[in-house]
């Protein structure tokens, strides 16, 4: 059974930093690509960042230069370090397994639990 366990988040003032972590279990780590969705005030689901097993990373333009995604050596835990946070980063953040076998297994905006990030001005 696959599972994504999210942790981190919280509240911070603009300019501050927060971190998120996600541990995946039950997936084939050889092909696993993990990332983070977020759903903010506009209720749109957007891919914020992702990292593949071979270390290729993706960042949405809105977070480039401020967020850093990394993974542990086992490639089952990813971390999202969020610096220079802005009020517009306020959202529910969801871990997502981008190449999961089903939408349900992928988690993300649609089936993930999510963790709240609130940035006050």
């Amino acid at each position: 059974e696959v599972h994504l366990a999210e942790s981190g988040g919280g509240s911070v003032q603009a300019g501050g930093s927060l971190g998120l972590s996600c541990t995946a279990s039950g997936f084939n780590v050889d092909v696993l690509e993990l990332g983070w969705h977020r759903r903010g005030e506009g209720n749109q689901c957007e891919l914020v960042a992702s990292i593949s097993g071979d270390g290729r990373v993706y960042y949405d333009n809105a977070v480039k230069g401020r967020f850093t995604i990394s993974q542990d050596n086992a490639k089952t835990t990813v971390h999202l370090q969020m610096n220079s946070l802005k009020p517009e980063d306020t959202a529910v953040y969801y871990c997502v397994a981008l190449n999961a076998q089903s939408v349900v297994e992928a988690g993300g905006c649609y089936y993930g639990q999510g963790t709240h990030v609130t940035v006050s001005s």
Side-chain angles (χ1 to χ4, degrees), residues 56-101:
R56 286 175 291 116
V57 297
Y58 161 83
Y59 295 103
D60 184 87
N61 284 336
V63 307
K64 217 173 270 188
R66 300 187 297 120
F67 289 13
T68 302
I69 191 168
S70 61
Q71 62 187 356
D72 67 349
N73 289 336
K75 301 176 184 178
T76 56
T77 299
V78 292
H79 307 280
L80 186 68
Q81 179 63 36
M82 303 181 291
N83 297 329
S84 302
L85 282 160
K86 304 175 181 180
E88 50 264 44
D89 294 318
T90 295
V92 181
Y93 286 71
Y94 302 86
C95 185
V96 59
L98 291 165
N99 50 355
Q101 292 190 345

Side-chain angles (χ1 to χ4, degrees), residues 5-34:
E6 302 151 335
S7 62
S11 298
V12 69
Q13 287 194 321
S17 299
L18 287 171
L20 303 176
S21 293
C22 172
T23 297
S25 58
F27 292 92
N28 180 352
V29 297
D30 291 333
V31 297
L32 187 60
E33 181 170 357
L34 293 172

Side-chain angles (χ1 to χ4, degrees), residues 38-55:
R38 71 182 179 187
R39 194 187 292 276
E41 192 176 295
N43 208 35
Q44 280 193 324
C45 181
E46 55 184 2
L47 178 63
V48 174
S50 68
I51 185 166
S52 65
D54 59 1

